[in-house]
Amino acid sequence: MSRFLSRQYENLEPYTPGEQPKSISRLIKLNTNENPYPPCPGVLEVINDEELNKLKLYSDPEASQLVEVIAEFNGLDKSQVMVGNGSDEILAFAFMAFRNEGNKIFYPEISYSFYPVYCDIFNASGVKVPLDKNFKVVPEDYYNADGTIVITNPNAPTGIALTREEIREILQHNKDNLVIIDEAYVDFGGESAVPLIDEYDNLLVIQTFSKSRSLAGARIGMAMGASEIIEDLNRIKFSFNPYNLNRLSILAGTEAIKDRDYFEKTTALIADTRDSFVKEMKMLGFKVLPSKANFVFAASEEISGEEYFKALRNAGIIVRYFKKPLIENFVRITVGTPEEMKELVNETRKIMQAIR
Ligand code: PMP
């Protein structure tokens, strides 16, 4: 730490991203919930020499073409949509923008570990709401909250989803609080809250292109909600980084939204791979939480989460392990291709045989 750092940030504990190995050729990488399939073919075509030449020019600060296709895809007006440099950036804008007088932000005790970091950096008081004994978010615990609410749905790292009706009840019981639903993983089997946007002006839905549209490296996120909320987010964005999306990402994102067929096929394939993989893991004696996401959260009574994580790492398979109370027996496994999952199951069988 230099002597120049503001006092305010002396104790800031940054978010720890999952490992991004320099070379993945000999590793099976199932640790950061990326999509195992490439971006849709249109993405590869649209990034050509002509567009690369245009990098000398700034990008469209409104990212209009991308915003328009997102609005159309979701049956919204373009005033109800904005885009960010990953949904992480949009979440940051939202934590910056939306706090009531008490400054409180409610989120599930086990959830995306970036939320407490945003609370710290933007001076909000994070209130952690416990899950039930089955690791489920309890909707009633958020009724009449005294602050902003942020819920990941399906939740991460559990993968467990609330229904749209459960989200509706949370909105209904919080008419004067903003409810942010982080739908990073919704396209693999969850119910999106987007159809509730026209009914509830206290709803902000945040999604990402990083998972279901195979564009994690392009860094694109989207926010959808009442036009007044989107206007507020744009107020922050234009005060912070107006050209937050680069030219190539705007093009890539537009193509990815337009190819509905590819999106539907690849997300369905991942959901199928997940369901077969869960059955295999259960046969090996693992407890697997019911996931609607592109990852599963699994634990065994025979091996600790940390040991299992290390044993897989030694076999060239990276998954994610969180050394945290309540979840330290689990590992989070991204759903890759059927071949990758088969390899993981085979390695797991060997690991379990060796300790039995
Ligand atoms: N929300 C959740 C719950 C996530 O797991 C992630 C991915 N780490 C994000 C948001 C951010 O995704 P991105 O910035 O890639 O859009």
Side-chain angles (χ1 to χ4, degrees):
M1 192 186 302
S2 80
R3 63 190 189 284
F4 308 110
L5 183 71
S6 158
R7 280 267 160 79
Q8 197 188 336
Y9 302 126
E10 265 174 11
N11 296 318
L12 185 65
E13 189 78 52
Y15 173 73
T16 318
E19 181 186 353
Q20 295 295 345
K22 295 285 173 284
S23 158
I24 54 166
S25 55
R26 286 175 52 245
L27 284 173
I28 296 184
K29 186 176 182 308
L30 303 174
N31 67 332
T32 47
N33 300 339
E34 287 138 330
N35 196 308
Y37 301 107
C40 72
V43 168
L44 307 183
E45 278 160 31
V46 81
I47 299 182
N48 54 27
D49 283 354
E50 191 186 333
E51 294 301 336
L52 288 169
N53 261 315
K54 286 198 211 147
L55 284 177
K56 66 185 178 200
L57 305 172
Y58 281 107
S59 55
D60 169 12
E62 257 118 35
S64 315
Q65 68 177 106
L66 180 55
V67 165
E68 266 165 40
V69 291
I70 294 172
E72 199 189 313
F73 186 95
N74 290 285
L76 298 170
D77 186 80
K78 54 186 190 324
S79 63
Q80 295 172 298
V81 178
M82 65 90 72
V83 288
N85 194 294
S87 53
D88 279 340
E89 187 188 55
I90 297 180
L91 284 165
F93 291 162
F95 274 72
M96 216 187 290
F98 304 117
R99 266 170 283 145
N100 70 356
E101 270 137 50
N103 232 2
K104 287 190 198 152
I105 302 200
F106 292 78
Y107 51 84
E109 180 175 14
I110 295 168
S111 192
Y112 187 27
S113 45
F114 220 138
Y115 303 150
V117 182
Y118 289 134
C119 284
D120 275 359
I121 196 166
F122 299 124
N123 271 326
S125 338
V127 183
K128 294 182 180 167
V129 183
L131 303 182
D132 74 9
K133 65 178 190 339
N134 298 318
F135 294 91
K136 188 176 181 260
V137 168
V138 182
E140 291 78 8
D141 291 350
Y142 296 83
Y143 291 180
N144 308 311
D146 157 35
T148 297
I149 294 169
V150 186
I151 294 178
T152 314
N153 192 40
N155 197 10
T158 64
I160 300 175
L162 293 178
T163 63
R164 186 178 301 131
E165 282 315 302
E166 287 174 310
I167 301 286
R168 180 198 289 281
E169 288 300 321
I170 295 173
L171 290 161
Q172 188 67 29
H173 287 86
N174 282 290
K175 288 277 176 79
D176 288 322
N177 294 317
L178 183 70
V179 179
I180 302 173
I181 306 296
D182 178 349
E183 294 189 348
Y185 301 103
V186 79
D187 297 321
F188 303 98
E191 285 180 2
S192 174
V194 166
L196 303 176
I197 287 175
D198 283 333
E199 252 177 279
Y200 292 93
D201 69 354
N202 55 332
L203 168 63
L204 175 64
V205 179
I206 299 180
Q207 293 185 359
T208 178
F209 285 62
S210 299
K211 322 291 176 183
S212 56
R213 290 190 171 81
S214 306
L215 284 172
R219 313 300 306 123
I220 315 172
M222 51 181 153
M224 295 173 276
S227 48
E228 292 79 8
I229 295 177
I230 297 301
E231 198 182 316
D232 295 342
L233 284 174
N234 272 319
R235 179 188 290 259
I236 303 286
K237 167 189 143 153
F238 279 91
S239 311
F240 189 89
N241 185 12
Y243 308 104
N244 61 342
L245 251 75
N246 69 72
R247 300 184 76 93
L248 302 181
S249 294
I250 293 174
L251 290 170
T254 306
E255 290 304 313
I257 293 285
K258 286 204 289 203
D259 199 339
R260 193 186 273 265
D261 194 41
Y262 185 84
F263 161 77
E264 284 172 359
K265 276 192 191 133
T266 45
T267 47
L269 181 54
I270 291 168
D272 278 354
T273 310
R274 174 193 64 213
D275 296 344
S276 321
F277 170 64
V278 169
K279 283 189 197 134
E280 301 259 18
M281 290 298 278
K282 285 187 175 164
M283 282 194 307
L284 289 171
F286 276 76
K287 165 181 170 171
V288 186
L289 301 187
S291 172
K292 295 272 190 208
N294 68 335
F295 57 82
V296 302
F297 210 39
S300 162
E301 282 178 4
E302 296 170 73
I303 187 167
S304 77
E306 193 166 15
E307 272 176 274
Y308 177 47
F309 162 79
K310 284 184 180 158
L312 286 175
R313 189 76 178 74
N314 287 336
I317 301 175
I318 329 181
V319 298
R320 187 95 198 249
Y321 171 67
F322 302 93
K323 204 181 179 79
K324 283 189 184 162
L326 299 172
I327 56 170
E328 60 195 351
N329 266 332
F330 285 83
V331 298
R332 191 194 67 190
I333 306 170
T334 302
V335 177
T337 61
E339 296 72 34
E340 287 172 325
M341 303 327 278
K342 202 169 155 197
E343 185 79 26
L344 189 144
V345 168
N346 287 341
E347 286 305 330
T348 304
R349 191 172 295 118
K350 284 190 218 160
I351 295 165
M352 301 314 279
Q353 275 162 2
I355 58 166
R356 275 173 189 160

